Amino acid sequence: MAAQAARPVVPVRTVDVTGSRCPMTFVRVKVALDGLAPGEVLELVLLEGEQMQDVPKNLKDEGHRVLAVVRKGPKYHLLVRKGEP
Amino acid sequence: MIRDGHAPGRGGPAAQAPPGEGRGAEPDYKALKAGGMVRQRQKDRFTVRLKCPGGRVPLERLARIAEVARRYGGQYVHLSFRQSIEIPYVALEDLDRVRRELAEAGQEIATCGARVRVPTACSGCEYNPNGLTDTQKMAADVAARFFGRGPFAHKFKMSFSGCPIDCARTSENDLGFQGAVEPRWDESACTACGLCAAACREGAIELAAGTNKPRYRRDKCLFCGDCIRACPVDAWQAQRTGWMVRVGGKHGRHPIVGARIAAMLPDANVSGLIEAVISWYEKNAAGKGRIRLGALLQDPAAWRRFLADIGPVLGEWAAPDPAPPRPCEIHF
């Protein structure tokens, strides 16, 4: 189902933003990523619909990389590697 | 209701000039209007409409506009619905000075009447993340080539939107250009993560049971490029980028929703199409009075003739058998 990274990737932390609404979703994702060093991995939990329509493309725009996606019902768990600033 | 926004006791040097010079000789309002000077309710006061293609105004021009408005205008400027800055309450005798002082800063006056108007555009791809096409460049190019052409049977308006959100309302213009991108899927790069299907707002990507690989439903696609932007491994890429073209739209007392006549038209073909449509309008509206292109195209014979004449210009980008522009009346 999910894209597999070459070796197991261990997230530094998990942030579930499924209870947030725009623009707080973006703020929480940004704050969570700001707390990581480039190359470190965040597990991000997003809700299907608006969050999944908006957040992944913004992660890519900002130079981060989605390594794996696992869907659990309406929730998506994304492993996101922080990009270089 | 503000009846006089003119600053009391203020005005340009000409405010002290003898009024009513050449009394009895009616000013040529039509010539004034063609030059973007719109007569106001107040006697001998004009609104000066500025040419701001795509609504973009460099700061040095904005400073001059503010200066000129303070000297000759009222207490504010007005932002028109089509992105022009308008300076109201300019006195008839100051119009020439206003034009001259704005021109020194490179700021031109817009047009009114039965002519090609200043094209409007969204902020475009330069800094708007949704932007697929360079609407600002196109608006500037089109303004340079076509602005002020006429007079025709009626006005002729164009707009440019950079994505399907269509902020520039391309379906409400005589010719509207909306940016679009056709995606292409590279199976060898795909990791079957499913992000594209979750990112698509239109249900145009379905995931195959078992493999989780995307299946593209072109019939549902709006060509917004969200799949391309979301894909972490660039398995979705741009196949073609261009313009969805709509024709015959208008607002006003009898609104008409423009008809899509082409898809993915390249930048290089835009001017040729505009030229062809304007010429067609000029020729086919002659003798029919004050009629907009969209109203003219309501006649089924005219619509068929239009498609036959414009088809060769659209070439491979022509939409197959499009329906005519659709009236959107308020009668019920």
Side-chain angles (χ1 to χ4, degrees), chain B residues 4 8 55 61 64-65 75 83 89 151 160 164 174 179 194 201 232 248 258 267 279 284 286 289 294 330:
Chain B
D4 187 358
R61 282 194 208 165
R64 175 59 69 96
I65 292 165
Q75 293 167 321
Q83 302 182 312
Y89 291 99
F160 293 86
D174 296 278
R201 288 169 154 77
D267 281 2
S279 304
N284 287 272
I330 59 165

Short mmCIF file of all heavy atoms in Angstrom, two decimals, chain B residues 4 8 55 61 64-65 75 83 89 151 160 164 174 179 194 201 232 248 258 267 279 284 286 289 294 330:
data_model
loop_
_atom_site.label_atom_id
_atom_site.label_comp_id
_atom_site.label_asym_id
_atom_site.label_seq_id
_atom_site.Cartn_x
_atom_site.Cartn_y
_atom_site.Cartn_z
N ASP B 4 -20.40 65.11 -3.60
CA ASP B 4 -19.21 65.83 -4.03
C ASP B 4 -18.03 65.41 -3.18
O ASP B 4 -17.89 65.84 -2.05
CB ASP B 4 -19.45 67.33 -3.93
CG ASP B 4 -18.29 68.12 -4.53
OD1 ASP B 4 -17.33 67.47 -4.99
OD2 ASP B 4 -18.37 69.35 -4.54
N PRO B 8 -12.87 70.40 -0.48
CA PRO B 8 -13.30 71.79 -0.47
C PRO B 8 -12.08 72.71 -0.48
O PRO B 8 -11.10 72.47 0.21
CB PRO B 8 -14.10 71.91 0.82
CG PRO B 8 -13.77 70.72 1.64
CD PRO B 8 -13.24 69.67 0.72
N GLY B 55 -4.08 44.65 -13.45
CA GLY B 55 -4.16 45.24 -12.11
C GLY B 55 -2.83 45.44 -11.43
O GLY B 55 -2.76 45.59 -10.21
N ARG B 61 4.84 54.51 -10.21
CA ARG B 61 3.64 55.05 -10.86
C ARG B 61 2.55 55.32 -9.84
O ARG B 61 1.84 56.31 -9.93
CB ARG B 61 3.10 54.06 -11.89
CG ARG B 61 3.89 54.08 -13.16
CD ARG B 61 3.09 53.34 -14.21
NE ARG B 61 3.97 52.74 -15.18
CZ ARG B 61 3.61 51.81 -16.05
NH1 ARG B 61 2.38 51.35 -16.03
NH2 ARG B 61 4.45 51.34 -16.91
N ARG B 64 3.05 58.56 -8.26
CA ARG B 64 2.66 59.69 -9.12
C ARG B 64 1.13 59.80 -9.20
O ARG B 64 0.58 60.90 -9.19
CB ARG B 64 3.28 59.51 -10.51
CG ARG B 64 2.85 60.56 -11.53
CD ARG B 64 3.21 61.99 -11.11
NE ARG B 64 4.63 62.24 -11.12
CZ ARG B 64 5.30 62.79 -12.13
NH1 ARG B 64 4.65 63.18 -13.20
NH2 ARG B 64 6.60 62.96 -12.06
N ILE B 65 0.48 58.64 -9.27
CA ILE B 65 -0.99 58.65 -9.33
C ILE B 65 -1.57 59.33 -8.09
O ILE B 65 -2.47 60.17 -8.18
CB ILE B 65 -1.54 57.20 -9.47
CG1 ILE B 65 -1.16 56.61 -10.83
CG2 ILE B 65 -3.06 57.17 -9.28
CD1 ILE B 65 -1.33 55.10 -10.92
N GLN B 75 -11.08 63.09 -2.88
CA GLN B 75 -10.41 62.67 -1.64
C GLN B 75 -10.02 61.20 -1.65
O GLN B 75 -9.58 60.67 -0.64
CB GLN B 75 -11.33 62.98 -0.45
CG GLN B 75 -11.49 64.47 -0.27
CD GLN B 75 -12.62 64.82 0.69
OE1 GLN B 75 -13.66 64.18 0.67
NE2 GLN B 75 -12.40 65.82 1.52
N GLN B 83 -10.01 46.27 -12.44
CA GLN B 83 -8.63 46.46 -12.00
C GLN B 83 -7.99 47.79 -12.37
O GLN B 83 -6.78 47.93 -12.30
CB GLN B 83 -7.74 45.32 -12.51
CG GLN B 83 -8.21 43.95 -12.06
CD GLN B 83 -7.28 42.86 -12.52
OE1 GLN B 83 -6.91 42.80 -13.68
NE2 GLN B 83 -6.90 41.97 -11.63
N TYR B 89 -13.52 63.19 -9.92
CA TYR B 89 -13.62 64.63 -9.63
C TYR B 89 -12.54 65.48 -10.27
O TYR B 89 -12.15 66.51 -9.74
CB TYR B 89 -13.66 64.88 -8.10
CG TYR B 89 -14.94 64.39 -7.49
CD1 TYR B 89 -14.99 63.16 -6.84
CD2 TYR B 89 -16.11 65.12 -7.63
CE1 TYR B 89 -16.18 62.68 -6.33
CE2 TYR B 89 -17.30 64.65 -7.11
CZ TYR B 89 -17.33 63.43 -6.46
OH TYR B 89 -18.50 62.96 -5.96
N PRO B 151 -13.30 51.96 -33.12
CA PRO B 151 -14.48 51.44 -32.45
C PRO B 151 -15.16 50.30 -33.22
O PRO B 151 -15.09 50.24 -34.44
CB PRO B 151 -15.40 52.66 -32.41
CG PRO B 151 -14.96 53.51 -33.55
CD PRO B 151 -13.50 53.28 -33.72
N PHE B 160 -7.47 37.05 -18.20
CA PHE B 160 -6.55 35.91 -18.08
C PHE B 160 -6.54 35.40 -16.63
O PHE B 160 -6.24 36.15 -15.71
CB PHE B 160 -5.13 36.33 -18.46
CG PHE B 160 -5.00 36.68 -19.91
CD1 PHE B 160 -5.29 37.96 -20.36
CD2 PHE B 160 -4.60 35.72 -20.83
CE1 PHE B 160 -5.18 38.28 -21.71
CE2 PHE B 160 -4.50 36.03 -22.18
CZ PHE B 160 -4.79 37.31 -22.61
N PRO B 164 -7.75 26.90 -12.84
CA PRO B 164 -9.21 26.72 -12.92
C PRO B 164 -10.02 27.42 -11.83
O PRO B 164 -11.24 27.46 -11.92
CB PRO B 164 -9.38 25.19 -12.83
CG PRO B 164 -8.08 24.64 -13.29
CD PRO B 164 -7.04 25.61 -12.79
N ASP B 174 -15.55 38.76 -23.38
CA ASP B 174 -15.73 38.46 -24.80
C ASP B 174 -14.76 37.37 -25.21
O ASP B 174 -15.09 36.48 -25.98
CB ASP B 174 -15.52 39.74 -25.62
CG ASP B 174 -16.58 40.78 -25.31
OD1 ASP B 174 -17.68 40.70 -25.86
OD2 ASP B 174 -16.31 41.64 -24.45
N GLY B 179 -5.71 29.35 -17.52
CA GLY B 179 -4.57 28.44 -17.53
C GLY B 179 -4.95 27.03 -17.12
O GLY B 179 -5.82 26.81 -16.28
N GLY B 194 -0.63 6.80 -3.30
CA GLY B 194 -2.02 7.22 -3.26
C GLY B 194 -2.24 8.69 -2.96
O GLY B 194 -3.38 9.14 -2.88
N ARG B 201 -9.27 17.03 -6.16
CA ARG B 201 -10.58 17.50 -5.68
C ARG B 201 -11.72 17.02 -6.57
O ARG B 201 -12.88 17.23 -6.27
CB ARG B 201 -10.60 19.02 -5.68
CG ARG B 201 -9.77 19.65 -4.61
CD ARG B 201 -9.63 21.15 -4.86
NE ARG B 201 -9.40 21.88 -3.63
CZ ARG B 201 -8.24 21.95 -3.00
NH1 ARG B 201 -7.19 21.32 -3.48
NH2 ARG B 201 -8.10 22.63 -1.88
N PRO B 232 5.07 12.94 -4.56
CA PRO B 232 6.40 13.08 -3.92
C PRO B 232 7.55 12.61 -4.81
O PRO B 232 8.69 12.94 -4.54
CB PRO B 232 6.30 12.19 -2.68
CG PRO B 232 4.92 11.66 -2.61
CD PRO B 232 4.27 11.87 -3.94
N GLY B 248 -17.48 34.92 -25.92
CA GLY B 248 -18.86 35.40 -25.92
C GLY B 248 -19.46 35.66 -24.55
O GLY B 248 -20.67 35.85 -24.45
N GLY B 258 -19.71 32.58 -21.20
CA GLY B 258 -18.90 32.28 -22.37
C GLY B 258 -18.80 30.79 -22.66
O GLY B 258 -18.91 29.96 -21.76
N ASP B 267 0.71 29.74 -25.53
CA ASP B 267 0.91 31.19 -25.46
C ASP B 267 1.06 31.80 -26.86
O ASP B 267 0.49 32.83 -27.17
CB ASP B 267 2.20 31.52 -24.69
CG ASP B 267 2.01 31.44 -23.19
OD1 ASP B 267 0.89 31.10 -22.74
OD2 ASP B 267 2.98 31.70 -22.46
N SER B 279 -11.43 40.56 -35.61
CA SER B 279 -11.77 40.82 -37.03
C SER B 279 -13.14 40.25 -37.37
O SER B 279 -13.93 40.87 -38.08
CB SER B 279 -10.72 40.19 -37.96
OG SER B 279 -9.46 40.67 -37.64
N ASN B 284 -18.76 40.90 -38.69
CA ASN B 284 -20.09 40.30 -38.56
C ASN B 284 -21.08 41.09 -37.72
O ASN B 284 -22.27 40.84 -37.75
CB ASN B 284 -19.97 38.87 -38.01
CG ASN B 284 -19.42 37.92 -39.06
OD1 ASN B 284 -20.16 37.35 -39.84
ND2 ASN B 284 -18.09 37.79 -39.09
N ALA B 286 -21.17 44.40 -38.01
CA ALA B 286 -21.43 45.63 -38.77
C ALA B 286 -22.89 45.69 -39.19
O ALA B 286 -23.45 44.71 -39.69
CB ALA B 286 -20.51 45.68 -39.99
N GLY B 289 -26.09 47.26 -35.11
CA GLY B 289 -26.27 48.12 -33.95
C GLY B 289 -25.29 47.81 -32.84
O GLY B 289 -24.26 47.19 -33.07
N GLY B 294 -21.10 38.03 -27.67
CA GLY B 294 -21.89 36.92 -27.14
C GLY B 294 -23.35 36.97 -27.56
O GLY B 294 -23.99 35.95 -27.76
N ILE B 330 -32.34 37.18 -15.82
CA ILE B 330 -32.96 37.23 -14.50
C ILE B 330 -34.47 37.04 -14.57
O ILE B 330 -35.12 36.92 -13.54
CB ILE B 330 -32.67 38.56 -13.77
CG1 ILE B 330 -33.17 39.73 -14.61
CG2 ILE B 330 -31.20 38.69 -13.45
CD1 ILE B 330 -33.25 41.03 -13.83
#
